[in-house]
Amino acid sequence: MCSVQDGDSEGPLQKEKIDPGRKCMKCRTENAILITRVNDAFCRDCFMVYVTHKFRATIGKSKLVRDGEKVLVAFSGGPASSCLLHLITEGLSQRAHKKLRFLPGLIFIDESSVLGDLVNNGGVAEVKKIVELMAATGYPCQTRHLEEAICLSQKGQLPEVDLSTLTESDQANVQAADFHIQDNLDRARVEIKSLFASIKSLTAKEDMLNRLRQRLLMEVAQVEGYSKVMTAHCGTRLAVNLLSDISQGRGAHVAMDTAFSDTRSSVMLVRPIRDFSSKEVAMYNSLHGVESVFIPTLTTKTPEGSSIEHLTEAFVTGLQADYPSTVSNIMRTGEKLSTEKKDGSRCVLCEAPLDTDVGDSSALSAVEFSSLISRRKKGKVNECKNTIACCGEGDGSCHTKSLGLKLEEIVSALCYGCRMTIKDMGDTTKLPEKLMSEISYRIRRSKMKNDIQDFLLDPESS
Ligand SMILES: [Zn+2]
Ligand SMILES: [Zn+2]
C-alpha cells in the first residue's frame, strides 16, 4: 500500500502550518482561517460553501434519497450528529439553494442500560438536553432504549389508539397490552445487563453494542414506515471502523460498513457525511455555534489499548494529526475491498451475508480445526459423549443451551465476526431470547427446506 523508502521524495504530505497573512484559496481576498484536506486554506465563508456543497453532492450523486421520502435520522447528540442535523435543517429550509426534499424523523437511542455507571445519574441531564435539541428542529422525534432491540414485543408494532373511542373491554385490553409491553421492557433491561456482564472483553462489548444499536434503528424504521436510515458517521470514524473491522474478522463487511449506502437490511442505511473529516465537523460546529452533548462510550477514560476499536482510533487520529491524507487514503483503499456475495443466508446478529459457508480447505476451517485440536490437548473433549454434534467445550454444555439450541447451532447462524463476539461470552445462555428464537426459527426453516427439497419443482428458484 504505502512504501516510503529513505530518501524517497514522494512521501505522504505532512501538515503545513497556516501563516497569518495567508489568503483563502477560493476567493483569494479574505484571510484563511483553516486548512482542510492536505493543504487547502479557506476563509470562513468559502469553508461554509465548501462543506455544504460536499454534503449536498454526496446525497445528490447517489440519487438514492428521493423527494418526499421518509428518512429516519439517528441522532446521538455527539458533534457529528449535531453537524448532520444542522446540515439537514439548513438544506430543508426555504433559504437553501436547491432545497432538499426528504422528510426527516429523528431518533435518539438511550444506551444507559449498558453504559450504566459511566454516565452521571443515569445520564438524565444529557438525555434531557438531547431531547430538547431534537425538539427544537420541529421534526418528529423519539427516544428509544437500547434494550428494545432485544425486547420480544416492540412498542412500535402496536398502532397508537385513542382510548376514548373504544368500548370498556377494549380499553382494558389496550391497558393490559401496555402493561405487557412495560413488563417486557423491564425484562429486556435485565436481560441486556446480564448479556453485557457475560461478555468479557471490551472489544466484544463494543461490537455487541454496535450490532444491537443497528438492529434497533432498522427495526424502528421498518415498523414506522421509514425507507432509509441516516447516520452521522464521518470519514474519520469510518476509517477507524474499517481498520477495526479487518482486525476483528469482519473483512467481508468492510465495503458495507463504510460505503455511502448499506443495503444489507430491507431498510437502506445511508451515511451522508462520510466525506467529512472530524476536523471539518468540529470546525463547522464551532463556526455555526452548533451545540452537542457529550455522552461517554464504553471506552471513555480507559487506556488506549483497552479495545481494538479504541486502539485503532488512537492510531488513526494520531497519524491524521501529522498526515492529513491518512483518512482519505484509508477510505479510498476500503472502497476497493468489496465482496461479490450478495445473497444467500444472512447473519442473525448483523444481517451481513454469511462469510462462513466456505469449503473444507478454507482458512476458517483451518482455524476451527486448530482450536479443536488445542482443546483436545487439554483433555476436555473426551468427557462429552455427543461426539458428532459436540461443541468441543467438553463440559456437556452442548445440551444445556436455552431453547434447546446447541452452541454449534447458534454459531452456524452467525458470520465470522459475530462468532468472535459470541465466543467471548462466558455463557451463551445469556444471549437474548429474541435472538435465540430467531436462530431456532432459522434452523427449523432450513431443516424443513431440506426435508421437502425433493418435492420442489425447481430447487434452484426456491
Ligand atoms: Zn474565501
Ligand atoms: Zn454477523
Side-chain angles (χ1 to χ4, degrees), residues 163-175:
L163 281 179
S164 57
T165 60
L166 298 175
T167 62
E168 232 168 71
S169 70
D170 280 347
Q171 278 186 26
N173 281 342
V174 169
Q175 271 156 3

Side-chain angles (χ1 to χ4, degrees), residues 320-362:
Q320 174 78 13
D322 288 329
Y323 302 97
S325 53
T326 304
V327 165
S328 56
N329 277 341
I330 297 173
M331 293 292 283
R332 272 206 306 273
T333 312
E335 275 156 22
K336 295 171 191 146
L337 300 173
S338 66
T339 42
E340 292 297 297
K341 227 171 157 195
K342 283 262 155 26
D343 32 51
S345 346
R346 291 181 174 266
C347 171
V348 172
L349 197 53
C350 72
E351 290 195 71
L354 279 188
D355 52 358
T356 42
D357 50 349
V358 282
D360 285 343
S361 53
S362 64

Side-chain angles (χ1 to χ4, degrees), residues 48-121:
M48 293 304 185
V49 173
Y50 160 75
V51 170
T52 311
H53 175 77
K54 193 149 77 163
F55 168 67
R56 305 292 297 271
T58 313
I59 293 187
K61 215 165 46 191
S62 71
K63 295 202 175 103
L64 289 171
V65 184
R66 294 183 300 273
D67 289 0
E69 187 168 17
K70 275 179 82 183
V71 177
L72 187 65
V73 182
F75 183 74
S76 71
S81 281
S82 304
C83 171
L84 174 64
L85 190 56
H86 193 268
L87 282 163
I88 291 175
T89 328
E90 284 294 304
L92 287 162
S93 73
Q94 287 304 333
R95 59 182 174 277
H97 170 64
K98 277 197 173 174
K99 207 171 161 252
L100 286 174
R101 292 181 191 281
F102 62 86
L103 306 172
L106 310 179
I107 180 171
F108 165 67
I109 297 180
D110 184 345
E111 293 165 4
S112 55
S113 55
V114 172
L115 296 174
D117 308 331
L118 292 166
V119 278
N120 292 327
N121 198 11

